[in-house]
Amino acid sequence: MSPDLPLLNDYKQDFFLKRLPQTILGGPRLKLGYCAPPYIYVNQIILFLMPWVFGGIGTLLYQLDILEDHYAAVLSGGLMLVAALVIQFTSAKAKTKSVTVQRIFTTDILAEEDEHEFTSCVGAETVKFLIPGKKYIANTVFHSVLAGLLCGLGTWYLLPSRITLLYGCTGGTAALFIFGWITLCIGEYSLIINTPTETATFQTQDTYEITPLMRPLYIIFFVSVDLAHRLIKVTPVLQHMNQVLHILFVFLPFLWALGTLPPPDALFLWAMEQVLEFGLGGSSMSTHLRLLVMFIFSAGTAVTSYFIPSTVGAVLFMTGLGFLLSLNLSDTSFVFKHSKTRNRAEMEAQTSPRASERHFPWKQFLLRVIVLVVALLETGLLHHFAGFSPTSESSSQAVVGYILMLLLVILWILREIQSVFILGIFRNPFYPKDVRAVTVFLERQAKLLKAGVIRWILLTLVSPFAMIAFLSLDNSLQRLHSVSVSIGFTRAFRMVWQNTENALLETAIVSALHLLISSTDLWWNRNLNTGLKLLLVGIIRDRLIQFIAKLQFAITVLLASWKEKKQHQTTTTTLCIVNAIFFPFVLVIIALSTLLSSPLLPLFTLPVFLVGFPRPTQSWPGTVGTAACVCEDTMYYEQMVPRLTAALQTAMAAGCLGLLSPGTHYLGRFQDRLIWIMILERGYTYCCINIKGLELQETSCHTAEAQRVDEIFEGAFEQEHPKICSLNEHVGNVLTPCTVLPVKLYSDARNVLSGIIDSHENLTSFKGDLIKVLVFILIQYCSRRPSKQENFHETESKGETSLIVLPPLNSSPCPTSPEDTNSFHSQTFNDWSDDIFDDEPTVQKGKEGKNWVKDLSGTTVPIPGLVDTQKVDDLSTGTISENNLYKAVTLGYPAIDKGKQESTAYIPLMEFSSHHSHLVSLPEEWRSSCLPSSKMKEMSSLFPEDWYQFVLSQLDCFHSEEMASTALEEILKDKVLKDFYIHIVMTCYFGLLGIDNLVPTAGHLVRVYGGGLPWSSALDWLTIKPELFQLALKAFRYSLKLMVDKASLGPIEDFKELSSCLEEYENDWYIGLVSDEKWKEAVSQEKPCLFSLGYDPHMGVYTGRVLTLQEVPVQVGKLNTEAVTGQWANLSWELLYATNDDEERYSIQAHPLLLRNLTVQAAEPPLGYPIYSSKPLPVYRC
């Protein structure tokens, strides 16, 4: 990227510079970009200062001792309420007025969108520009009332005497009063007059007008603390908080402009997540609805436990509810709902990988019931024992604490040896050296998985019961009726199951501190019970991990800007120097971001760090998996997901992916595909994940980062002789390799077929193969037709033999007199009239011959393009009607002089010599002719009779073995059946290759393979028989695949090998086009192999694509979570606020260390563009 390229283009820069002042001031548009009348600016200033005027009146009356403080606040609020209603009424009135708009002609197209024509100071156009108004009447009333309340409370909050009482400084009082009222005016203007675009934008569209509430809600929060301080005067904490918040109040406009404070919807979801995770022991949830429901139930559990009178009952209640709420309750209810069909569900789960997505086996359900019962028994007995044996409490709990520490060390070792790197830095000496030998790798990995089984047992069954024992023996439970005890232990008993690994770490730390700090005079032991200690340690653990990850991300951005030449900007050197000088200030920003659990936002992904606003773990407002940029490559990810989910189940249970926490991101790589995995939710023995598939048609940026991903994985997994405990060469990258998962999916191979399909020898051989494949396809189709068995039984029951339509290839055409010929031409061409639309066309009688019944040498011909609707159902019943005989098609040839027309192959009616021939007879609607009889006789010699007999001999369509040999012998001797196959096969052959029987060209093969057959009468004949057309096209594609295989693997030795090859195509292959709907069906049904032919016009070569379903090693690495959320936060700011949607912008260019382009792709649409995104998928780690 050029260092001189601006981060924003010229138009976006002007747009940004106009929007930023509007955001800072809360809505006034003082920088318009065009010349506007002065009263536009004056009106905005008046409207901006209006709350200050009303508040000043109340303040003045209070300072003069005319009104009490609360009456002054009511007066100011009432004036503001009336003014807000008048403003909204004026805006609504202006919308109803019709204003004549005169077009302004300008040469600046971009500016034309923003310009307005103002006629007067209070004109309708001016009012609509200044006060856009509300979309809903309810919001009009609600926002007006809120504006009055805000002004009244703000007047009370900023009374000079109150500020002086807090600080005792007159100078400080004046500054806080002035800047405080500016903050209040900004909040009022955004609520009532005009809402600006916020830098902290969460939703792409503000459907319900939530954005205007953002700034007033923060003002109300500050005021509420002051109100609490007024009511509770003897609380030093509230006084100090009130003093700090009064100072912070004047900085609110800057926090709003920087986007540090979240909008109401993001704040609500983030607050619920934080309270649920750290206060109630839960986890982030996969959907917002689940989050709300889980929050309500978890909060209800804590409140209920406080009111339970019995300590034993309360402990049992917390244990039981903690266990139940840590389960995936949606799948548990699925068990009860479908209990009657569980056996069928288990069978489907074994046969189809997709059926297991909602599968919750009964053995898992029984295991959970047993675990719950044992946990309740253990808790009750130990708590009862602790209550009656106070002398043994401390010693027993200390012993359990030692056990927990030992379990923590063992589980950490067993988890680390499952991954390729220990701590992401040192190579694991126990991990298989080279994964390219898949068989050897799987054998060695199986040995590691045995240790993973031990880890699963310790983590799932041993550790929870050990922690329950530690908690049950705690003497804090004896004084249960306390808010702190109820909250702390409700969280502790829930964390045991919800996130066992983190709970084990926290419990081990608290246990160690119990042993190290024995003095009861310290604040740690005096004021905190064990539940609150665990809560505090949990918060510190989470924030410490976040701080390290954010610091690593910041250093990576800084070093990449300095070292990577392609990332250099003209300001890079300056930014690096500033960051080095003010590094303590950067640490403060990182620390503040960590405390808020918000993203560290690198502006334009440069080393300019801001504190992003707190948001939910998912980072996006909608439910994951509801949107994706679907394309033709999406189906490969859809097929892969069930298989990948099963492989992840084993890897997660063994600990191959490290510590599993909601919000963790993983990147998977195999061949040319990239998958993005995010953990949404975690509970007891399950995780809920989202899988995204990134584009396969790689751009230059995508390719550059994909190559770096390949280098990282190759350095980790594909070293033949790695050094023991060698270092990770890419430790500074945001991607850390974890493990390799064997997954059964499609391996994609693309080959150049030039030199094969354009070889004259292969093309000549193709013609003979095509006829053989046509014979094979038609015989196989007819032997498996469901309707031919019914017709066969009906014929046998009636004792009749049906007649069939057949061209007599070995006899001369039926002679016709000149009169007959003249009559034919006069009826079909010279006497063209509306009679051709009659349902019963005229049929000319021919002369009787030896082997036929009727000769249809002359028929009326339908208009070209019309599909003949004539039925031949009477033939199946033995009733022959002249009007029901098939009409020969004679159009499609050049005009021939009268008397010189070559007769077409006529269609006599013949009897099969064997009644068994009906088992392989072709459909009656195909029994027609479209080719000259002379041409048909000439080409019938190409028909391979020996191959025809061999294919018939291989059939397995007979009802019993006794009749098989006799029936087969009769069918082989049936000359009528054979001639009929000759006629149909050769007609299809001509339709595919043309009537001239020339050697086809490679271009012709590609066109016909794609369904573009050359025009001929045979094509017209085929197109009105769609089933036969598809069979002919399938035979052509099989023949081409056969030609490629013969050129690659060698010639076919005999008929048996050829038949086996074609049967393999039929059973295990789909041969067609990638764009076909059946291609997608084949991928979804997991057809073992797929083949497609194409042509690359850029390289001028013929290409082949083969997909093979096989076990492929999928390399998986863990991403730095803070790097992902930080880049997503910048993406949201850049697109939603700065509207920087330039496809070549700096922040979307390839970045080998940050994987910036891949991260942008993986964002939720419409900001990102993954081609596949799964719904939340439960993965059970057992």
Side-chain angles (χ1 to χ4, degrees), residues 89-332:
F89 175 78
T90 305
S91 175
K93 194 70 175 177
K95 289 181 180 180
T96 60
K97 291 186 177 180
S98 59
V99 180
T100 304
V101 179
Q102 182 179 358
R103 181 177 178 82
I104 303 176
F105 295 95
T106 177
T107 57
D108 189 354
I109 300 177
L110 297 178
E112 187 176 356
E113 300 176 359
D114 299 329
E115 291 192 8
H116 297 264
E117 181 185 6
F118 305 105
T119 56
S120 66
C121 179
V122 292
E125 184 67 24
T126 303
V127 173
K128 286 192 290 185
F129 173 78
L130 296 176
I131 313 168
K134 308 296 179 182
K135 291 188 294 184
Y136 306 106
I137 298 177
N139 283 338
T140 300
V141 177
F142 175 66
H143 291 181
S144 299
V145 173
L146 184 60
L149 178 65
L150 195 65
C151 185
L153 293 176
T155 302
W156 201 9
Y157 185 71
L158 295 174
L159 289 174
S161 60
R162 178 63 178 172
I163 299 175
T164 304
L165 185 62
L166 278 175
Y167 299 100
C169 177
T170 306
T173 300
L176 292 178
F177 179 80
I178 294 172
F179 291 105
W181 267 108
I182 292 176
T183 300
L184 199 60
C185 290
I186 289 173
E188 291 279 11
Y189 196 98
S190 65
L191 177 64
I192 284 298
I193 311 300
N194 184 26
T195 304
T197 303
E198 299 288 354
T199 52
T201 302
F202 188 58
Q203 301 279 355
T204 54
Q205 293 182 345
D206 188 19
T207 306
Y208 301 104
E209 295 180 316
I210 298 177
T211 304
L213 302 176
M214 173 183 169
R215 304 190 184 202
L217 287 181
Y218 284 104
I219 294 175
I220 291 176
F221 169 75
F222 279 70
V223 174
S224 63
V225 175
D226 183 70
L227 291 176
H229 181 217
R230 288 172 184 262
L231 297 176
I232 310 174
K233 298 182 179 181
V234 293
T235 308
V237 175
L238 281 177
Q239 181 177 357
H240 295 319
M241 185 183 297
N242 197 14
Q243 291 174 343
V244 172
L245 291 181
H246 267 79
I247 297 175
L248 190 60
F249 187 78
V250 301
F251 292 99
L252 279 179
F254 298 100
L255 296 177
W256 289 328
L258 292 174
T260 304
L261 300 178
D265 48 355
L267 176 63
F268 177 71
L269 296 173
W270 170 82
M272 276 202 303
E273 277 192 356
Q274 295 296 305
V275 174
L276 179 62
E277 182 175 356
F278 299 106
L280 302 172
S283 164
S284 303
M285 307 305 290
S286 57
T287 64
H288 300 326
L289 179 59
R290 285 171 64 93
L291 175 63
L292 179 61
V293 173
M294 185 59 69
F295 179 81
I296 293 173
F297 278 99
S298 301
T301 301
V303 173
T304 305
S305 65
Y306 176 77
F307 291 101
I308 296 178
S310 171
T311 57
V312 175
V315 171
L316 292 176
F317 177 80
M318 289 187 289
T319 303
L321 265 294
F323 176 80
L324 293 176
L325 292 177
S326 67
L327 300 177
N328 188 6
L329 297 180
S330 60
D331 280 351
T332 306

Side-chain angles (χ1 to χ4, degrees), residues 702-880:
H702 184 108
T703 303
E705 294 187 355
Q707 289 177 353
R708 177 55 64 91
V709 172
D710 291 335
E711 292 175 4
I712 295 173
F713 284 133
E714 287 174 4
F717 300 116
E718 299 181 7
Q719 294 184 7
E720 295 182 359
H721 304 288
K723 298 180 181 179
I724 299 178
C725 294
S726 58
L727 297 178
N728 180 9
E729 298 177 358
H730 302 277
V731 69
N733 200 287
V734 297
L735 177 66
T736 302
C738 290
T739 188
V740 175
L741 305 178
V743 183
K744 193 172 184 180
L745 44 83
Y746 280 106
S747 175
D748 195 347
R750 303 168 190 260
N751 304 310
V752 176
L753 300 182
S754 295
I756 296 180
I757 68 172
D758 53 1
S759 169
H760 185 271
E761 180 182 354
N762 293 336
L763 292 173
T764 304
S765 175
F766 174 82
K767 294 175 57 182
D769 291 338
L770 177 59
I771 299 177
K772 293 179 181 179
V773 177
L774 279 168
V775 172
F776 178 85
I777 293 294
L778 291 178
I779 291 178
Q780 292 291 332
Y781 170 78
C782 293
S783 65
R784 297 170 182 172
R785 277 196 310 138
S787 59
K788 52 97 179 166
Q789 298 289 348
E790 298 175 4
N791 294 336
F792 174 70
H793 292 303
E794 289 178 3
T795 303
E796 281 189 335
S797 63
K798 293 182 180 180
E800 300 175 354
T801 301
S802 299
L803 300 177
I804 64 165
V805 182
L806 180 70
L809 298 176
N810 297 327
S811 61
S812 61
C814 176
T816 56
S817 63
E819 291 80 8
D820 295 333
T821 305
N822 293 340
S823 175
F824 169 75
H825 285 287
S826 65
Q827 288 189 14
T828 56
F829 296 99
N830 298 334
D831 297 334
W832 191 276
S833 67
D834 292 340
D835 293 339
I836 60 173
F837 296 102
D838 292 345
D839 292 334
E840 302 291 339
T842 304
V843 180
Q844 295 296 318
K845 294 183 179 180
K847 297 182 179 180
E848 295 184 2
K850 184 176 179 180
N851 295 324
W852 48 278
V853 179
K854 297 290 182 181
D855 175 21
L856 303 180
S857 60
T859 63
T860 58
V861 182
I863 290 179
L866 285 180
V867 177
D868 186 16
T869 59
Q870 199 69 22
K871 305 288 185 179
V872 290
D873 296 336
D874 292 338
L875 294 177
S876 61
T877 60
T879 304
I880 305 173

Side-chain angles (χ1 to χ4, degrees), residues 259-416:
T260 304
L261 300 178
D265 48 355
L267 176 63
F268 177 71
L269 296 173
W270 170 82
M272 276 202 303
E273 277 192 356
Q274 295 296 305
V275 174
L276 179 62
E277 182 175 356
F278 299 106
L280 302 172
S283 164
S284 303
M285 307 305 290
S286 57
T287 64
H288 300 326
L289 179 59
R290 285 171 64 93
L291 175 63
L292 179 61
V293 173
M294 185 59 69
F295 179 81
I296 293 173
F297 278 99
S298 301
T301 301
V303 173
T304 305
S305 65
Y306 176 77
F307 291 101
I308 296 178
S310 171
T311 57
V312 175
V315 171
L316 292 176
F317 177 80
M318 289 187 289
T319 303
L321 265 294
F323 176 80
L324 293 176
L325 292 177
S326 67
L327 300 177
N328 188 6
L329 297 180
S330 60
D331 280 351
T332 306
S333 62
F334 180 78
V335 170
F336 292 103
K337 183 177 179 181
H338 297 275
S339 58
K340 295 183 180 180
T341 59
R342 61 183 181 274
N343 293 329
R344 184 178 63 183
E346 291 176 359
M347 294 177 60
E348 291 178 355
Q350 295 174 358
T351 57
S352 173
R354 299 181 186 276
S356 62
E357 292 182 6
R358 289 295 308 274
H359 184 51
F360 189 85
W362 270 94
K363 62 180 182 180
Q364 295 184 18
F365 175 73
L366 294 177
L367 174 63
R368 283 152 178 73
V369 173
I370 295 173
V371 170
L372 175 60
V373 172
V374 174
L376 292 175
L377 288 174
E378 180 191 13
T379 304
L381 292 176
L382 288 178
H383 184 70
H384 179 77
F385 170 78
F388 286 93
S389 303
T391 57
S392 62
E393 289 179 18
S394 58
S395 58
S396 301
Q397 195 175 30
V399 171
V400 176
Y402 285 117
I403 295 175
L404 292 175
M405 295 179 208
L406 180 62
L407 282 173
L408 178 65
V409 174
I410 295 174
L411 286 174
W412 180 85
I413 294 174
L414 293 177
R415 186 186 70 202
E416 290 298 321

Side-chain angles (χ1 to χ4, degrees), residues 432 437-450:
V438 179
T439 305
V440 177
F441 167 77
L442 293 178
E443 291 177 357
R444 294 181 178 178
Q445 192 182 47
K447 298 177 181 179
L448 286 178
L449 291 179
K450 293 179 181 178

